[in-house]
Amino acid sequence: ETVRLRFHTFYGTEIDPIADKFKDAVKEASDGSLRIQYFRGGELVASDQFADAVSKGTLDIVHGHGGYWSGQVDIGNIEAGLPGAWTSVEEAKAIFESEEVNSLLTEAYEEAGTVFLGKGYGHNYDLLTKEPVTSLEDLKTRKIRATSNVAKVLDYFGIPTVYLPAQELYISMSTGVIDGAIYGGPVEYEQLKLNETAKHYTYLNMLMPGWTETFLANPAKWEKLSDEHKAILEEAIAQFADDIHNWLAEGNENVAEGTFEYATLPEADSAELTVAAQTVWQEEAERSPRNKAFIDALVANAKAQGRLK
Amino acid sequence: MKPVTRYLVLQDGLSDFVGRAISWLSLALIGVLMLEIVARYFLNAPTIWAHEASTMIYGAFCLLAGAYTLRYRGHVRSEVLYGIMGPRGNAFCDTVVFSIGLVVLLVFLKLSIEFAADSWAVREYSNKSIWQPPLYPIKTVIPIAVGLVILQNIAELLRAVLTLFGIAYDDPREGELESEVDPVLLDALKK
Amino acid sequence: MADLDPLAITAIMFASMLVLMAMGAPLAWALTISGVGSAYMLWGPGGLDLLVSSTFSAMDNFLLVALPLFIFMGLVLQRSGITDDLFGLIHKLMGGVSGGLGVGTVIICALIAAMAGVSGAATVSLGIIALPAMLKRGYDKRLVTGTIMAGGALGFLIPPSVLMIIYAFLSRDSVGKLFAAGLMPGLMLAGIYMVYILIRCRLNPDLGPPTPVDERYSGIEKLKALRHLIAPGLLITAVLGCIIGGVTSPSEASAIGAFGALLIAALHGRLNWDLLRYVMLTTTKLMGMLMWITIAAVFFSKIYVGLGAGMIVGELIEDFDVAPIWVIIAMLATYFLLGMFLDDFAIVFITVPLFVPIVRELGYDTTWFAVLFILSMQSAYLTPPFGYNLFYMRSVAPKEITIVDIYWSAIPFVLLQLFGLALVVAFPQIALWLPSVLFN
Ligand code: NA
Ligand code: NA
């Protein structure tokens, strides 16, 4: 009897080779008794409806990030990555692998009718602009495409943000509807060919990795799997997540010379951003006792690292 | 007036009323977007809500329009075969289509009620922009719109069944012309 | 459950849909019924939730906000009196040339196309205003009817275009880029029509006699008549300028267009409660239709993809050992055939989710394919038995023009459209040049 699982990621075709490796790994390790039916971003369910779709059994496993379902699952925004929350993959991993945070996630996703399977770690998440940026002050007269958490922090400095779907980024940037975007790292910007319209990449030093990813399963489907199949899946998913992270890291490292002109936000400005981010942290903490506990853990970590007093 | 006719007048009237009421949303849509353009280019103060608000108005407007469109037989259909079948043949086809349609729409209604209820339960909000409006009102529009289409679907089914079994009734829609070009438009242009 | 052969799934889903459509089911009903049936039988209850998530996706999309507003704009313009003005203008300017009114009609069509997003606007109003006027001056009835129907179909090739917005929504292309890509092929097709009319009238002057000398106008009068171009010119500049120049998103530009159209109607003294109510209610009716088809078609295609059929059929086509261009030609032939029987919105919703991934895999530019698709839909409006412009013309034409005349009049223009399509297939740059200049 072959078990087929509908697996939906939010990535598009860019990680196809990694996805093929993942599908093959599952098939081989299970001698063909477990198969992955893989769907790319937007193919079956819009990414912002993943949590709903996996809880109802439309999908069996989803690979998204907390920002997509933050309106439904309280900790979504926090676990996706708040500005200033962590500065390296090791730090982020330590936080998510801690007993406390792990149990918060398990509990929150169980309440949302899903099974929390594990995490993946993104990479650079910075600002791309048409004109060079040397300070936060520069940004006040520009229109930047940014989403919720980052948008709130920018708003704190009076920097106007707009929301646009990714498919409109290229034209909006080239015609000047927007002056810049915070969407990903060099490799993502190159994928969208944004380097043809905007060359200035500014490290914000706000959050690294700039986002984390989450894998969720449908409880009924997951319970029906044999222990062997569960183990195979968990291992393959962990490898898949690692492969994506490494692909991002290498991609960002190896973007051809001259594709972008890199700059870094002055340290004072980055520090100010982190301070401003505290209002966002507190706003998130107020949403629920569970969020409060998560934020407390982040604050404790930031203090231990010496970033917060 | 016989009860059947009275029912049809009432049901058509309901769809008509809803259609006329929501047609104002088209002007609201223009207003919201013009406001945003003026605020952004002339006052240099873009709003944080215009994009999402206009999207929500659009979604509610077009979805709720479904029953009005059905009442005015405005849903696109292929008439290549249907057109040569004659009234009884058409009534047979309509009976089949609108009875299966009713079952499918009832499934749709049940699913959309759950969808909206889940959103109410967690007081879901949108996370696209810093406006972060609640999402449960717009999600509640779905079961309402589906419910309105179900009601009009029942009226269409009843008409088809009566015609199929040769039961005479006064159709309040009888006098309405079915033309590719709106008769109102023709009159206006010919003046 | 999912172990069914993908070809069997394809057969089940499409056969049940076609049977329902043949029975005259509204397209939205046909797609939803066969989608729900297939999802439940082959997938189980979990698949049904895609119906609600497709609904929410169709409602929650800022790009689609432009749809009702471009429709609103087209409806206002249709009744604003702008067509009368424009026809008066070309009569003064070009009446003296053999075939001049025919050429002028194409120009008016192109101008209205650049303001309205739908195709009915020009066909209906010119059918009422220009057709009797040209018949009275001795123009050949088949040449004139064909010109108006073909010119009217330019409405969704020359931007703005409702059909392109839907295509972009389904294929996840940029609306602005598609708009830019449609402009040159649209002008090219208009040019082809004009050359055709001039050649035919040169060969046989009886087809389009020049107006008698005493009906001609002086230079000053002609110059003064040009003022009728000011309002349309401003509106076209505002809408297309905003989109292509990047001043606003297409959705905001559509609001400017709708607002501008109301202003033009007001300038003509035609803006009243009657017009407003007509436009609002017709927009409501059309959007109810479009929204429910959008939902049904998105749901249907997701069930199809989710059952694993889409991918495998796509792979099958790729493995099929033919040159990629033949795959494109086969798709275009499919469009031509479907266009004889189906509505353009039905075709876009059913085919784009199936065709575009294949086009992309084959390495073609999806913007280019979008233009080929829209060009094919031009013909769909003119090919019997189901062609909107044929219906519109039948509804508005005077009695001396029979349905046979209408069908015959369409044939040469369909051939011209196919010629234009072949040109864009052979020279993709006709479509891709403008977007590459504007956006790089
Ligand atoms: Na147009
Ligand atoms: Na046709």
Side-chain angles (χ1 to χ4, degrees):
Chain A
E1 178 85 18
T2 316
V3 181
R4 287 171 203 275
L5 295 175
R6 289 192 178 81
F7 180 103
H8 209 318
T9 179
F10 68 103
Y11 280 97
T13 49
E14 65 276 14
I15 60 162
D16 276 358
I18 301 173
D20 289 340
K21 182 184 159 199
F22 167 61
K23 286 186 277 186
D24 292 344
V26 172
K27 190 172 150 190
E28 256 170 54
S30 65
D31 282 330
S33 65
L34 188 60
R35 305 278 180 101
I36 296 290
Q37 254 187 307
Y38 179 89
F39 298 100
R40 304 182 192 104
E43 280 187 342
L44 220 50
V45 176
S47 306
D48 54 10
Q49 294 183 53
F50 273 180
D52 202 42
V54 79
S55 75
K56 296 213 169 106
T58 309
L59 300 172
D60 301 320
I61 300 178
V62 293
H63 170 215
H65 67 70
Y68 288 138
W69 48 72
S70 60
Q72 293 161 303
V73 184
D74 52 5
I75 52 158
N77 262 338
I78 309 178
E79 68 138 346
L82 295 180
W86 45 73
T87 55
S88 70
V89 178
E90 292 69 32
E91 198 185 331
K93 271 191 180 162
I95 293 170
F96 282 104
E97 281 164 9
S98 75
E99 186 70 29
E100 192 193 358
V101 169
N102 188 52
S103 69
L104 287 175
L105 262 64
T106 308
E107 177 191 291
Y109 285 116
E110 199 180 309
E111 263 175 42
T114 63
V115 179
F116 171 63
L117 291 185
K119 297 291 298 173
Y121 298 89
H123 207 260
N124 286 340
Y125 190 74
D126 294 296
L127 174 67
L128 185 73
T129 47
K130 293 168 79 77
E131 301 297 325
V133 170
T134 51
S135 69
L136 278 177
E137 196 58 36
D138 279 358
L139 285 176
K140 289 189 180 167
T141 52
R142 319 230 185 128
K143 287 190 293 289
I144 306 294
R145 186 267 191 200
T147 47
S148 190
N149 289 337
V150 176
K152 274 192 214 159
V153 175
L154 295 182
D155 184 55
Y156 184 85
F157 294 95
I159 297 164
T161 55
V162 290
Y163 171 77
L164 275 177
Q167 80 220 59
E168 292 296 321
L169 273 178
Y170 182 92
I171 300 268
S172 305
M173 195 84 109
S174 75
T175 56
V177 169
I178 53 172
D179 304 299
I182 302 178
Y183 178 82
V187 67
E188 280 100 342
Y189 291 140
E190 201 188 17
Q191 292 274 345
L192 289 169
K193 298 192 188 139
L194 291 178
N195 53 312
E196 291 171 9
T197 69
K199 282 208 143 344
H200 300 277
Y201 187 100
T202 309
Y203 289 103
L204 299 171
N205 287 335
M206 208 161 57
L207 184 68
M208 175 68 202
W211 73 93
T212 74
E213 300 164 9
T214 303
F215 295 86
L216 303 174
N218 174 264
K221 194 82 178 195
W222 182 253
E223 283 320 312
K224 265 204 289 189
L225 292 178
S226 66
D227 287 344
E228 193 201 341
H229 279 174
K230 283 182 189 167
I232 290 172
L233 266 176
E234 277 172 331
E235 194 185 325
I237 286 176
Q239 185 62 48
F240 177 65
D242 261 357
D243 287 347
I244 293 174
H245 174 76
N246 293 335
W247 169 77
L248 287 167
E250 278 165 33
N252 285 338
E253 187 90 347
N254 297 329
V255 165
E257 187 122 347
T259 312
F260 297 107
E261 281 166 38
Y262 295 94
T264 306
L265 208 62
E267 216 157 289
D269 280 358
S270 286
E272 246 189 279
L273 279 176
T274 314
V275 173
Q278 288 306 304
T279 57
V280 180
W281 287 32
Q282 288 322 310
E283 216 175 279
E284 287 295 334
E286 279 159 23
R287 286 192 196 279
S288 71
R290 183 162 48 222
N291 279 15
K292 174 90 172 51
F294 202 156
I295 293 289
D296 286 347
L298 288 181
V299 170
N301 170 68
K303 281 183 178 158
Q305 305 282 340
R307 289 201 309 277
L308 262 182
K309 277 168 212 125
Chain B
M1 220 172 2
K2 291 211 179 109
V4 173
T5 310
R6 201 158 26 189
Y7 159 72
L8 289 176
V9 168
L10 220 66
Q11 175 52 48
D12 286 1
L14 173 69
S15 297
D16 204 34
F17 172 77
V18 174
R20 281 169 190 274
I22 59 163
S23 71
W24 290 96
L25 291 176
S26 61
L27 293 186
L29 210 48
I30 300 175
V32 168
L33 289 172
M34 290 304 289
L35 199 79
E36 162 71 13
I37 295 164
V38 171
R40 192 164 74 218
Y41 288 101
F42 298 98
L43 311 176
N44 203 19
T47 68
I48 57 165
W49 49 269
H51 278 194
E52 276 194 273
S54 60
T55 310
M56 284 181 183
I57 295 172
Y58 157 82
F61 169 53
C62 300
L63 198 69
L64 286 167
Y68 181 79
T69 310
L70 185 57
R71 182 250 170 271
Y72 282 96
R73 288 176 280 195
H75 284 286
V76 167
R77 50 165 65 184
S78 167
E79 303 212 346
V80 174
L81 286 178
Y82 187 80
I84 54 173
M85 272 186 229
R88 286 293 280 278
N90 287 351
F92 171 76
C93 290
D94 285 351
T95 305
V96 174
V97 168
F98 287 115
S99 29
I100 310 178
L102 184 60
V103 176
V104 165
L105 283 165
L106 286 170
V107 172
F108 194 177
L109 180 68
K110 174 182 173 283
L111 297 172
S112 60
I113 289 174
E114 286 168 10
F115 188 69
D118 289 350
S119 184
W120 278 93
V122 296
R123 292 287 187 277
E124 185 182 1
Y125 63 91
S126 158
N127 198 32
K128 276 186 194 157
S129 64
I130 55 174
W131 184 35
Q132 299 197 318
L135 281 179
Y136 40 88
I138 188 70
K139 288 194 171 179
T140 308
V141 169
I142 304 177
I144 295 173
V146 175
L148 289 167
V149 169
I150 288 178
L151 292 177
Q152 189 63 38
N153 186 97
I154 293 173
E156 302 299 319
L157 179 59
L158 179 66
R159 285 179 161 108
V161 170
L162 292 175
T163 312
L164 180 63
F165 291 107
I167 303 168
Y169 68 102
D170 284 325
D171 190 343
R173 217 161 52 177
E174 194 73 58
E176 286 172 24
L177 276 171
E178 272 199 88
S179 158
E180 291 300 330
V181 180
D182 200 317
V184 183
L185 174 70
L186 286 187
D187 283 352
L189 283 176
K190 279 175 179 162
K191 261 177 218 160
Chain C
M1 270 193 320
D3 284 339
L4 255 180
D5 182 357
L7 288 174
I9 297 174
T10 310
I12 293 173
M13 290 189 72
F14 281 84
S16 61
M17 180 198 71
L18 288 174
V19 168
L20 285 164
M21 284 192 69
M23 291 175 71
L27 181 65
W29 270 245
L31 287 166
T32 316
I33 291 171
S34 49
V36 165
S38 311
Y40 191 73
M41 285 191 299
L42 304 169
W43 184 325
L48 294 181
D49 272 296
L50 281 177
L51 186 51
V52 190
S53 67
S54 308
T55 306
F56 191 63
S57 304
M59 293 168 76
D60 185 35
N61 190 310
F62 184 60
L63 295 178
L64 296 183
V65 171
L67 287 180
L69 297 181
F70 279 132
I71 287 176
F72 187 103
M73 177 186 179
L75 291 167
V76 175
L77 287 173
Q78 205 167 26
R79 284 187 58 175
S80 65
I82 210 167
T83 318
D84 308 64
D85 281 357
L86 289 174
F87 190 74
L89 169 72
I90 64 141
H91 180 232
K92 285 177 185 164
L93 249 50
M94 308 174 73
V97 183
S98 178
L101 292 181
V103 171
T105 300
V106 177
I107 295 175
I108 298 178
C109 286
L111 283 172
I112 296 181
M115 292 185 281
V118 285
S119 170
T123 313
V124 172
S125 46
L126 281 168
I128 289 171
I129 294 153
L131 182 59
M134 288 198 277
L135 292 178
K136 205 173 83 190
R137 288 175 180 82
Y139 270 65
D140 177 65
K141 59 184 176 182
R142 288 187 181 170
L143 182 67
V144 174
T145 352
T147 305
I148 293 176
M149 290 194 293
L154 291 171
F156 46 65
L157 180 57
I158 296 178
S161 161
V162 167
L163 202 54
M164 280 185 188
I165 295 171
I166 292 175
Y167 183 100
F169 164 70
L170 294 170
S171 72
R172 290 190 280 163
D173 278 299
S174 156
V175 173
K177 201 168 170 191
L178 291 194
F179 278 9
L183 189 56
M184 283 302 151
L187 296 178
M188 177 190 81
L189 211 50
I192 291 175
Y193 297 154
M194 290 194 266
V195 170
Y196 167 77
I197 294 166
L198 286 175
I199 290 178
R200 287 213 49 198
C201 291
R202 170 68 62 86
L203 295 178
N204 180 1
D206 288 346
L207 294 178
T211 44
V213 180
D214 59 327
E215 239 189 72
R216 294 190 193 164
Y217 295 84
S218 70
I220 301 277
E221 279 170 313
K222 285 182 180 173
L223 218 57
K224 267 171 74 183
L226 283 175
R227 73 179 189 282
H228 292 308
L229 281 177
I230 296 174
L234 284 176
L235 192 58
I236 293 171
T237 315
V239 175
L240 290 189
C242 279
I243 296 173
I244 292 174
V247 181
T248 66
S249 60
S251 303
E252 287 167 340
S254 70
I256 298 176
F259 187 73
L262 287 173
L263 280 183
I264 288 187
L267 285 175
H268 282 83
R270 304 241 179 138
L271 181 59
N272 52 35
W273 168 232
D274 189 43
L275 177 142
L276 206 57
R277 194 178 50 183
Y278 167 79
V279 170
M280 283 159 57
L281 290 178
T282 309
T283 307
T284 307
K285 193 162 80 185
L286 287 172
M287 284 318 299
M289 181 266 288
L290 274 180
M291 175 57 108
W292 283 75
I293 297 188
T294 309
I295 293 166
V298 169
F299 168 67
F300 181 88
S301 67
K302 296 214 154 161
I303 293 294
Y304 184 72
V305 170
L307 289 170
M311 270 183 268
I312 295 179
V313 170
E315 280 167 19
L316 214 71
I317 292 177
E318 283 157 43
D319 295 344
F320 207 63
D321 196 22
V322 293
I325 192 68
W326 284 105
V327 178
I328 300 286
I329 290 172
M331 288 176 177
L332 295 177
T334 312
Y335 279 145
F336 191 81
L337 283 177
L338 289 175
M340 294 166 72
F341 301 102
L342 285 182
D343 171 83
D344 50 330
F345 290 119
I347 298 174
V348 71
F349 281 117
I350 295 171
T351 62
V352 166
L354 304 181
F355 285 5
V356 168
I358 297 169
V359 171
R360 197 172 280 136
E361 289 286 320
L362 291 175
Y364 287 110
D365 191 320
T366 52
T367 308
W368 170 66
F369 188 74
V371 173
L372 297 184
F373 164 74
I374 304 279
L375 278 163
S376 309
M377 290 305 102
Q378 305 265 301
S379 309
Y381 266 61
L382 297 191
T383 50
F386 186 98
Y388 274 120
N389 283 5
L390 302 172
F391 300 152
Y392 292 149
M393 189 49 79
R394 196 179 54 198
S395 312
V396 301
K399 281 186 202 67
E400 71 235 52
I401 294 181
T402 64
I403 189 72
V404 179
D405 286 325
I406 294 179
Y407 285 174
W408 273 109
S409 73
I411 291 172
F413 286 93
V414 171
L415 293 175
L416 293 175
Q417 288 170 338
L418 292 179
F419 173 63
L421 178 68
L423 282 179
V424 181
V425 172
F427 307 102
Q429 281 310 310
I430 299 173
L432 299 178
W433 171 77
L434 188 62
S436 75
V437 169
L438 285 171
F439 303 130
N440 277 351

